[in-house]
Amino acid sequence: MMGQGDIIFKKLGLHERTDYAKYLLLADEDENIVNGYLLEGEMFSIRIQGKLAGAILFVFQDETVELKNIALLPESRGKGIGKEIMRFFIQHYRKEGYLKMEVGTANSSIGNIAFYQKAGFRISRIVKDFFLQYGERIFENGIQAVDMIMFERKL
């Protein structure tokens, strides 16, 4: 276990991950898509003051770590917790020798777009029509999720 203050992260083994898939579905609504990456990379449970608050999953390619999914329960959002989590894992993976972190979010996820830019990420590319592969159409803020905006930051 590792942590930062009241936030504790537990690295999950492959056999534990299916128990946490429901948390990842809070941030990525398509179960088939989540199941496609559930067993990749490193996944951690997130506990705040002893209570389970969500999960986070990273995948790796060369010297890049990609934040594939971060999901916090609604009652844990808007309190600066996501910012603390990002700060922790940016430092963690920098120490592990990774040079860059990437993350993608929907064109409709206005809050996420702002969050990642505040965390020091910059838009690196757009994956057109990414969300059209999802089983159901996704709408946020009155906007259909169609394209994925990819962000990156140096570690």
Side-chain angles (χ1 to χ4, degrees):
M1 289 213 215
M2 31 185 191
Q4 183 161 329
D6 293 332
I7 305 171
I8 303 293
F9 306 103
K10 178 184 177 234
K11 189 173 179 178
L12 301 173
L14 293 178
H15 62 284
E16 298 175 279
R17 293 184 184 201
T18 53
D19 296 337
Y20 291 85
K22 64 184 174 194
Y23 295 99
L24 299 181
L25 288 167
L26 294 170
D28 194 341
E29 296 88 353
D30 191 299
E31 192 171 353
N32 290 327
I33 300 288
V34 170
N35 287 336
Y37 61 73
L38 183 62
L39 300 179
E40 294 180 26
E42 293 182 338
M43 185 173 172
F44 300 85
S45 64
I46 302 167
R47 291 191 173 274
I48 301 170
Q49 297 176 337
K51 289 181 60 180
L52 189 60
I56 190 166
L57 190 145
F58 297 91
V59 296
F60 310 94
Q61 183 174 349
D62 301 322
E63 296 173 329
T64 299
V65 56
E66 179 184 352
L67 169 54
K68 195 74 170 174
N69 190 314
I70 180 172
L72 288 174
L73 293 172
E75 59 268 22
S76 298
R77 298 178 194 159
K79 300 177 180 177
I81 294 167
K83 192 181 304 180
E84 289 299 316
I85 291 168
M86 290 302 300
R87 192 172 303 137
F88 177 85
F89 280 105
I90 286 167
Q91 291 174 2
H92 172 74
Y93 287 116
R94 180 184 297 134
K95 289 177 190 171
E96 294 282 317
Y98 290 93
L99 301 179
K100 181 172 68 171
M101 184 177 284
E102 285 188 327
V103 63
T105 195
N107 62 284
S108 57
S109 299
I110 305 300
N112 291 350
I113 292 167
F115 173 78
Y116 292 123
Q117 290 182 91
K118 288 178 188 176
F121 287 81
R122 297 188 61 198
I123 295 171
S124 59
R125 69 186 188 281
I126 296 173
V127 182
K128 294 211 177 266
D129 300 330
F130 180 85
F131 290 98
L132 297 182
Q133 69 180 314
Y134 280 53
E136 293 184 27
R137 295 189 308 169
I138 300 167
F139 286 88
E140 300 171 284
N141 305 300
I143 304 167
Q144 183 178 353
V146 176
D147 302 322
M148 180 162 46
I149 301 173
M150 294 299 298
F151 293 87
E152 66 179 38
R153 73 162 281 162
K154 292 179 181 173
L155 296 183

